Amino acid sequence: MEEGEPKNFIPDSVNGLSYGMPGQVKLLWEVIKAPFIVPLLKLSVYICLAMSLMLFVERLYMCVVIILIKLFWKKPEKRYNYEPIQEDIELGSSNFPIVLVQIPMFNEKEVYKVSIGAACGLSWPSDRLVIQVLDDSTDPVIKQMVKVECERWASKGVNITYQIREKRRGYKAGALKEGLKRSYVKQCEYVAIFDADFSPEADFLRRAIPFLVGNPQLALVQARWRFVNWNECLLTRMQEMSLDYHFKVEQEVGSGTHAFFGFNGSAGVWRVSAINEAGGWKDRTTVEDMDLAVRASLRGWKFLYLGDLQAKSELPSTLRAFRFQQHRWCCGPANLFRKMLMEIVRNKKVRFWKKVHIIYSFFFVRKIIAHMVTFIFYSVVLPLTILVPEVDVPIWGPAYIPFIITILNSVGTPRSLHLLLYWTLFENVMALHRTKATLIGLFEAGRVNEWVVTQKLGDSVNNNNNNKPGDASTKNKTNVTKAIKKLNLLELGFGGFLFICGCYDYVHGKNNYFVYLFLQTITFLIVGFGYVGTIV
């Protein structure tokens, strides 16, 4: 070969037959497929099947335990020392412990009155209740509105304090930590935490506090979230199905078996001494609530979940807000697992099986495996096996196991059983972002500490008729801009990939996976074009 002549590692002809560029690409594919692609894809299938089995066993275990809890476990009032606190004629309200209520806020224009009003309406002696509104708002107009609302309730005799920070560091954890430093808080034995969109019932403290008073080993009483806008659109229906399983099964099982679960960050009552003993609030991850719960558990404290005790809250009704929320909820636990794994292993204050539960079940299976196998297996590996027919996937992997897991997940929300198929497809789409967020957390990549406050709409979702008419051309430009911003290219790309695999399977396949692939393609495209939050 003469100097300067380009080197071509792909032959232009084989046995006298010449190939163009498409032919050369096909030849290259055949050359690398047998020694590289097929073994790698087979290994991926084995790993995904193993992860699917781990998730299946975990779901089956929780199903068995929740049935046993519902049938044979005594109610919390029977399992724990529980004595309602009553006012004494002679002592008055002095037998009630002093409780601090913290309400962290950040530009909560639509909902700030909800939580403040609910907190001020709690049925607890006013001289034994201290309410802190921890306002981190950056909008001076909103800050003034929240301050005026606090002053309005204070004029009615409510012990409510409006509090701001000079430096906003640590997001919500920083605000809660700063609030506990105030001198008047030292007399408070317990602290109840409610996010800005939460409205507890009036008897919330009267039902929760007696468990902490009568059981000194308890650090936390967690209530269940109830969603006021669950039926607003298809997106909120999907979220309700996922979160109902979390509250009705996962939290209940953790509380009933190991007296441990992740604090949900709101609608919970903590023992202040337990927070201090665990090292207080830390801002090293975006799941400071889970961080505190794990640290407190490793020091021997126990938690109690009360499914009958509920607090109303709001689900994000836009895809953008939901995606940011899911990023935080998936990236944070993975990053916390990375930071605390060896601390959990070396801990000597808790039983061996509780450490196994925290490491394997709570973190590894639920926070890592559940996200990754859902996306990698059903949106990457399975479609690729269609293009590489040399790789077989046992039918129980892509069919039987996910079917059973889906049925087990549906027990939390029976009223949405008719949406089960779409919920499964939607969860597969969201698994793309959850997997990405999980990997960012595990490897501490760029967005590991990203925290975008979830947008709340409050009653504004029902005020669509209040929009004033404007110039038609301006509206058209605005609509085009919004349509472009709603595009999610990653979902659109995977939708196209699955469509190609579905077409190939329809023509050449033998397992009829194209039915699933076309349905999954449609779901990816719906999310890709940003319409899931608008479907009612």
Side-chain angles (χ1 to χ4, degrees):
M1 183 180 293
E2 297 181 3
E3 292 186 10
E5 183 179 343
K7 297 179 179 180
N8 188 5
F9 295 100
I10 305 176
D12 293 323
S13 63
V14 177
N15 296 328
L17 298 175
S18 61
Y19 290 87
M21 181 58 70
Q24 291 183 9
V25 172
K26 183 178 180 181
L27 181 60
L28 178 61
W29 169 255
E30 294 298 332
V31 168
I32 66 174
K33 184 170 70 170
F36 298 107
I37 302 298
V38 172
L40 182 61
L41 194 53
K42 283 184 177 180
L43 178 62
S44 300
V45 170
Y46 295 148
I47 293 174
C48 288
L49 290 176
M51 291 193 296
S52 296
L53 283 173
M54 293 167 66
L55 185 60
F56 170 72
V57 172
E58 173 71 12
R59 290 289 190 269
L60 195 61
Y61 158 76
M62 286 194 289
C63 177
V64 172
V65 173
I66 197 65
I67 291 175
L68 292 175
I69 289 176
K70 296 300 182 182
L71 293 180
F72 303 109
W73 258 245
K74 294 180 180 179
K75 290 188 175 182
E77 290 81 0
K78 301 294 183 180
R79 287 187 286 123
Y80 292 86
N81 294 325
Y82 181 83
E83 187 68 32
I85 304 175
Q86 303 291 341
E87 291 191 23
D88 189 277
I89 298 179
E90 297 180 357
L91 300 177
S93 61
S94 61
N95 59 327
F96 283 78
I98 301 178
V99 178
L100 171 68
V101 175
Q102 290 185 314
I103 309 174
M105 291 191 175
F106 180 78
N107 294 333
E108 310 286 1
K109 179 182 178 181
E110 306 294 346
V111 295
Y112 70 94
K113 289 185 178 181
V114 173
S115 54
I116 293 176
C120 293
L122 288 169
S123 176
W124 199 258
S126 58
D127 60 327
R128 314 297 286 178
L129 185 67
V130 180
I131 301 175
Q132 275 185 344
V133 177
L134 309 171
D135 191 10
D136 276 348
S137 299
T138 55
D139 188 327
V141 176
I142 298 177
K143 292 177 73 171
Q144 182 62 26
M145 292 167 63
V146 176
K147 183 178 180 181
V148 169
E149 181 69 9
C150 293
E151 292 174 347
R152 186 175 73 85
W153 282 102
S155 65
K156 296 181 180 181
V158 177
N159 186 5
I160 184 171
T161 303
Y162 175 76
Q163 184 174 312
I164 60 175
R165 295 186 287 167
E166 294 297 329
K167 294 182 179 181
R168 185 173 177 259
R169 182 178 180 274
Y171 302 108
K172 178 180 172 181
L176 296 172
K177 183 177 182 179
E178 186 71 21
L180 291 177
K181 291 180 179 179
R182 302 294 171 169
S183 57
Y184 59 84
V185 171
K186 295 180 180 179
Q187 59 184 336
C188 300
E189 298 178 55
Y190 310 103
V191 54
I193 302 171
F194 301 103
D195 284 348
D197 59 315
F198 277 72
S199 53
E201 298 295 333
D203 63 346
F204 188 95
L205 295 180
R206 287 184 178 268
R207 295 177 61 187
I209 295 295
F211 285 102
L212 294 166
V213 172
N215 303 275
Q217 76 277 17
L218 286 179
L220 166 68
V221 173
Q222 171 71 59
R224 180 187 157 196
W225 298 1
R226 201 175 82 203
F227 310 109
V228 296
N229 64 331
W230 65 273
N231 201 28
E232 180 182 336
C233 61
L234 190 58
L235 177 61
T236 54
R237 294 291 296 266
M238 299 298 101
Q239 294 176 71
E240 184 200 31
M241 294 177 71
S242 300
L243 289 172
D244 273 355
Y245 178 82
H246 168 70
F247 282 107
K248 292 183 178 181
V249 179
E250 290 181 346
Q251 297 293 75
E252 194 79 65
V253 169
S255 176
T257 54
H258 298 280
F260 167 79
F261 49 83
F263 172 44
N264 293 115
S266 184
V269 185
W270 277 90
R271 190 184 301 271
V272 175
S273 59
I275 295 178
N276 295 332
E277 185 182 330
W281 292 101
K282 294 185 178 181
D283 57 2
R284 56 181 176 174
T285 70
T286 56
V287 284
E288 70 291 320
D289 39 21
M290 185 183 295
D291 187 351
L292 176 62
V294 174
R295 285 185 282 113
S297 179
L298 294 180
R299 285 161 177 79
W301 289 99
K302 296 182 178 181
F303 307 153
L304 173 62
Y305 172 74
L306 296 177
D308 294 334
L309 182 61
Q310 301 179 5
K312 297 177 183 178
S313 64
E314 181 181 323
L315 292 165
S317 55
T318 66
L319 183 60
R320 183 177 183 274
F322 179 60
R323 286 175 63 179
F324 278 124
Q325 182 196 70
Q326 291 301 295
H327 174 85
R328 186 173 77 248
W329 285 5
C330 297
C331 179
N335 190 235
L336 182 62
F337 180 58
R338 170 193 172 106
K339 294 179 183 297
M340 294 202 67
L341 176 59
M342 295 312 300
E343 181 180 345
I344 298 171
V345 171
R346 290 192 293 261
N347 184 275
K348 297 181 179 179
K349 290 188 177 181
V350 298
R351 295 178 291 109
F352 171 77
W353 288 112
K354 187 170 185 177
K355 290 195 286 186
V356 170
H357 170 74
I358 296 175
I359 294 174
Y360 175 78
S361 180
F362 181 75
F363 273 117
F364 189 62
V365 176
R366 298 186 206 169
K367 311 301 181 185
I368 298 176
I369 292 297
H371 306 319
M372 298 183 70
V373 70
T374 303
F375 168 66
I376 295 175
F377 192 20
Y378 303 109
S379 296
V380 179
V381 173
L382 188 62
L384 286 177
T385 60
I386 295 171
L387 304 179
V388 186
E390 294 86 347
V391 179
D392 291 323
V393 181
I395 190 63
W396 55 265
Y400 302 149
I401 282 185
F403 175 76
I404 297 174
I405 290 176
T406 301
I407 295 299
L408 295 178
N409 282 344
S410 68
V411 299
T413 317
R415 66 184 174 192
S416 295
L417 282 175
H418 62 289
L419 297 173
L420 201 56
L421 175 60
Y422 185 77
W423 175 79
T424 303
L425 298 171
F426 177 73
E427 285 292 291
N428 290 348
V429 175
M430 291 311 302
L432 164 62
H433 291 283
R434 290 169 181 154
T435 298
K436 181 181 175 183
T438 300
L439 293 175
I440 289 174
L442 285 175
F443 295 102
E444 290 196 330
R447 295 176 59 197
V448 66
N449 290 319
E450 179 184 74
W451 183 307
V452 178
V453 176
T454 304
Q455 180 188 16
K456 290 99 175 178
L457 299 178
D459 293 334
S460 65
V461 296
N462 299 319
N463 296 332
N464 294 329
N465 295 327
N466 294 334
N467 297 327
K468 297 180 180 180
D471 181 68
S473 61
T474 304
K475 282 188 175 182
N476 290 334
K477 291 180 180 179
T478 302
N479 292 336
V480 172
T481 303
K482 287 182 177 180
I484 294 175
K485 288 184 177 180
K486 286 170 65 176
L487 291 179
N488 301 301
L489 299 181
L490 204 54
E491 284 88 345
L492 293 175
F494 266 96
F497 165 69
L498 294 179
F499 179 73
I500 292 173
C501 294
C503 292
Y504 187 90
D505 185 64
Y506 179 77
V507 176
H508 302 288
K510 54 186 178 181
N511 293 317
N512 294 326
Y513 287 148
F514 68 86
V515 177
Y516 155 72
L517 291 173
F518 287 153
L519 290 173
Q520 191 66 73
T521 295
I522 294 172
T523 310
F524 264 104
L525 294 179
I526 289 174
V527 177
F529 285 111
Y531 287 117
V532 69
T534 61
I535 301 175
V536 180

